[in-house]
Amino acid sequence: MEVKLDKRYPLEVDAARAWQVLRDVKAVAGCMPGAEITEQLDATHYKGTVKVKVGPANAAFGGDIEVKQLDEAARRLQLFGKGADRGGSSASMDLTATIEPGESPAASVLVGQAAVVVNGKFAQFGGRMMTQVSDMLLAQFVDNFRAAAAALPGPEASAAPAPAPQAAREINGLAILWNLIKGWLAGLFGKRA
Amino acid sequence: MNAPERIAALQGLGDSRLRKEDARFIQGKGNYVDDIKLPGLLHMDIVRSPLAHARIKSIDKTEALKVPGVIAVLTAEDLKPLKLHWMPTLAGDVAAVLADGKVHFQMQEVAVVIAEDRYAAADGVEAVQVEYEELPVVIDPFAALEPGAPVLREDLAGKTEGAHGKREHHNHIFTWEAGDKAAADAAFANAPVTVKERIFYPRVHPCPLETCGCVASFDPVRGELTTFMTSQAPHVVRTVVSLLSGLPESKIRIVSPDIGGGFGNKVGVYPGYVCAIVASIVLGKPVKWIEDRIENISTTAFARDYHMDGELAATADGKILGLRVDVIADHGAFDACADPTKYPAGLFHICSGSYDIPAAWCRVKGVYTNKAPGGVAYRCSFRVTEAVYVIERMVDILAQKLGLDKAEIRAKNFIRKEQFPYHSPFGFEYDSGDYHTALKKVLDACDYQGLRAEQAKKRADPNSPTLMGIGLVTFTEVVGAGPSKMCDILGVGMFDSCEIRVHPTGSAIARMGTITQGQGHQTTYAQIIATELGIPSEVIQVEEGDTSTAPYGLGTYGSRSTPVAGAAIALAARKIHAKARKIAAHLLEVGENDLDWEIDRFKVKGDDAKFKTMKDIAWAAYHQAPPGLEPGLEAVHYYDPPNFTYPFGIYLCVVDIDRGTGETKVRRFYALDDCGTRINPMIIEGQIHGGLTEGFAVAMGQQMPFDAQGNLLGNTLMDYFLPTAVETPKWETDFTVTPSPHHPIGAKGVAESPHVGSIPTFTAAVVDAFAHLGVKHMTMPHSAYRVWQQLKASGVNL
């Protein structure tokens, strides 16, 4: 099962700081709920894990990440990740993420395109919720990303203390479900308003 | 007792006696495979591939063997020395028992874990580490035949000759044709009217309530293997196991205990069985393997998956002149179809249906894809469901094109009563039928004209909240495979058998080569004997399924039990009857010709007071048999049918489709079946209700969708539609009786007709609701969402 994502997230931090987070694969992984880089093999290769629970599908993916391109000038990261879990699921992601200038010098936009392929039990059980779950995960990711970027010393020497690095926690199925329901309800009432 | 009372006491043919099986089933006292517990029993679970097509780079058992309770992990490498890593299929192909270097479909068996309990086995499965290298996946059978398509079966490299002739592409299995192409082409060339449509019959699964499983128990001291198995064909399995294992057939005992539904799912030999047997032989302990639901739907025995291009040629007033059907058959990764050896597309060439079509031709191409193997006859004789579906859809499409009524076009093209035995353009000899009488009965019972008038009124009303559709299907099956000159499985002719022993006190036991899976054999077989021999059904035991006691038979599928084994019973009984006559003549001191048979006794002609009942005769057979006649009263008969039987039916369905939601409500379903002589009307009705319900499931909801990566997105009962009493419509049943002239009691077989006949009836009804909008055909299943899409496309949704 393949899900293609094409997203733009406005950030309230300048492009330089946003890029500083994005170019650090470990930091990027830290922003992803449930994800963690466990080992750096060489300059472009890493090993990592992602734990996800969605409804009856429960997966702990372990796998490899390869940074295929790190374009400082264009502020673009391209990576390919691939992993499998012991319960009979496998997944891969081809991701291109770019930091574009925002509407003001103090803002920027995180632009991401990804093709996520999921196989096995995870696709069979979780397939129907893939798009919604991906949206949810990305929203959490972007929140963390914003926070991480804002925490970096900025051009105007922001005084905010750097938040403690987030412990890798598994993606919580209940929380996701709640957010899905919230989103659905909001959609319902939004239409009527 | 007077004669009617004596007939009633027998509970023979035509009696709706209650099912003997039910007493144990409704008390939870059935004995299924998973109920079998043997001392020292080990449990097996299977490591399966998450990917549909991949090379196996490595399999690491180390962690699995450390799991407490895990005893062994087997892979293809372990089976190789035994030459059991591949096995032959019924269709002349080979199938991997455990993946040999490559996986060909999702959930394919990669390794097995044997452990002291089921939990440890499951933990062991999680601990086996398999490294895969993904390969491009082919799901679409048309894409599989493209020149540059990935090679799925590397093991067949260079093999240009398959089991059914030349292979023309690396993913091509066979091409099979029937009929006369030149004659059909000529009919089309000159026809005033032709129609053509792609009719897709999606992949579905029989999904019996009980999944597949076995308990294999090898006794290393005596060198004997006993396997309890959910098999619809235990004798065939014994032969296969003997051929594979090298054990003499006499040291193998296959027992099919109570079976919770088969529907074709339990005909084949699956890797799980082979691995459990190997594990038991290697470990010297009994090993149990039971599928879970996901494994069952994903891997054992799908059905259908036929892409059929149907064509009809006709005169302007609707007389059919020619038929052509060209099929691409998706067989999955291995050709494991369960068909008679000579017929890789089963009996698909029954596709000229109930109609007298002068020229016809069909062709089926089998294709490999990255899907599970199977291709079983899901509650039908081999590929008959597909055949009936295509012809019935095409006749409707032709009627629509010509503006003819769908009942009228059928009556016009029916084989007439006086044409039987009828030779079809595909070479079948239809034994008997009376289609016009049956059609009239249904049309009258349902007030067909009234329904059409109501439909016309609804169509004229733009504010009608529903669309009304009327489906009418007039089908003919070919069942009771089959004459051994045409039908064999692995070289064994498709006869069936019966052994009857009448005990001294007049009760009896019958042992059969078939095996009931809910059909009620223990009830109905006894009724045949009761009428033949005058022994009450109540004292006749019927035993099946144990190869050590039952005579060799080909098993129960394809509606063959009554047409084949039912005939074997009648003829075995008649052998006993002939001996009983000799004994009676001896006892009554008259000539055999001076005796008349009456219900349960031989009586001297012209003297009602001088008679011997079968009970008297049984006693005499064991202690005062006539001189020169051996004692005892028993017989065996192996019946090789001279022909198939051809049950038929006329089904009518009325649906109301909600224009807002697309939901289809079955307002009325009227099923008239003609299965020849009726043995137990109550069981027939039950079988028809069951078949209609399964047909409803297929037509309205069942599907096995695959994504582009080969993930099966519907292998749990959350997704796969199994109707309950809540969804199931009300059924009305009716019948006519046209006995089979070549069957000893005239019976034709019934349990599959309702499945075969109802599926196109539902489609016809749903499509008919849209017919006035120019819609000719819609692909199953007719779920609310899909119907709603059609409502939108036709611009009539509310």
Side-chain angles (χ1 to χ4, degrees), chain A residues 86-146:
Chain A
R86 288 178 159 203
S89 304
S90 72
S92 69
M93 178 167 75
D94 210 331
L95 169 78
T96 305
T98 314
I99 303 293
E100 289 181 3
E103 285 173 1
S104 73
S108 58
V109 182
L110 171 62
V111 181
Q113 286 105 21
V116 181
V117 177
V118 182
N119 281 309
K121 279 185 193 165
F122 202 68
Q124 293 172 332
F125 294 141
R128 255 163 246 74
M129 296 167 78
M130 276 279 287
T131 313
Q132 293 91 322
V133 170
S134 312
D135 285 350
M136 212 89 269
L137 291 178
L138 285 173
Q140 289 185 34
F141 169 81
V142 171
D143 283 347
N144 293 336
F145 189 93
R146 277 190 193 112

Side-chain angles (χ1 to χ4, degrees), chain B residues 314-326:
Chain B
T315 62
D317 62 350
K319 180 81 188 84
I320 300 170
L321 302 171
L323 163 74
R324 287 192 298 223
V325 187
D326 202 357

Side-chain angles (χ1 to χ4, degrees), chain B residues 597-609:
Chain B
W597 171 256
E598 188 196 85
I599 304 165
D600 56 359
R601 63 192 58 177
F602 285 103
K603 60 179 197 180
V604 176
K605 278 182 178 156
D607 187 352
D608 277 356

Side-chain angles (χ1 to χ4, degrees), chain A residues 1-2 56 82 86-90 117-121 123-125 128, chain B residues 50-51 63 106-107 126-127 129 134 294 707 709 711-713 715-716 719:
Chain A
M1 150 143 254
E2 184 170 17
K82 199 179 154 174
R86 288 178 159 203
S89 304
S90 72
V117 177
V118 182
N119 281 309
K121 279 185 193 165
Q124 293 172 332
F125 294 141
R128 255 163 246 74
Chain B
L51 300 170
E63 292 299 315
Q106 188 182 53
M107 301 281 285
E126 287 224 349
Q129 295 191 14
E134 290 184 44
I294 291 170
D707 67 14
Q709 288 74 38
N711 290 297
L712 171 52
L713 303 175
N715 57 1
T716 73
D719 301 302

Side-chain angles (χ1 to χ4, degrees), chain B residues 7 47 125 164 166 191 233 260 272 288 294 341 347 377 423 443 450 553 558 677 711 730 735 739:
Chain B
I7 291 173
V47 178
V125 163
H164 305 283
K166 201 172 147 43
K288 180 186 274 188
I294 291 170
T341 307
L347 305 174
H423 291 267
L443 298 184
T677 302
N711 290 297
K730 178 177 158 38
F735 64 95

Side-chain angles (χ1 to χ4, degrees), chain A residues 86-88 121, chain B residues 44-50 56 58-61 64 72-75 97-99 103 105-114 121-132 271 275 289 295 299:
Chain A
R86 288 178 159 203
K121 279 185 193 165
Chain B
M44 187 180 97
D45 196 4
I46 302 182
V47 178
R48 296 176 180 278
S49 168
I56 297 176
S58 66
I59 302 177
D60 186 353
K61 309 175 181 178
V73 178
L74 300 179
T75 66
V97 174
L98 292 174
V103 289
F105 60 94
Q106 188 182 53
M107 301 281 285
Q108 187 179 342
E109 299 81 359
V110 174
V112 295
V113 176
I114 293 107
D123 288 345
V125 163
E126 287 224 349
V128 174
Q129 295 191 14
V130 187
E131 208 183 335
Y132 298 98
C275 291
W289 168 66
E295 293 176 303
T299 63

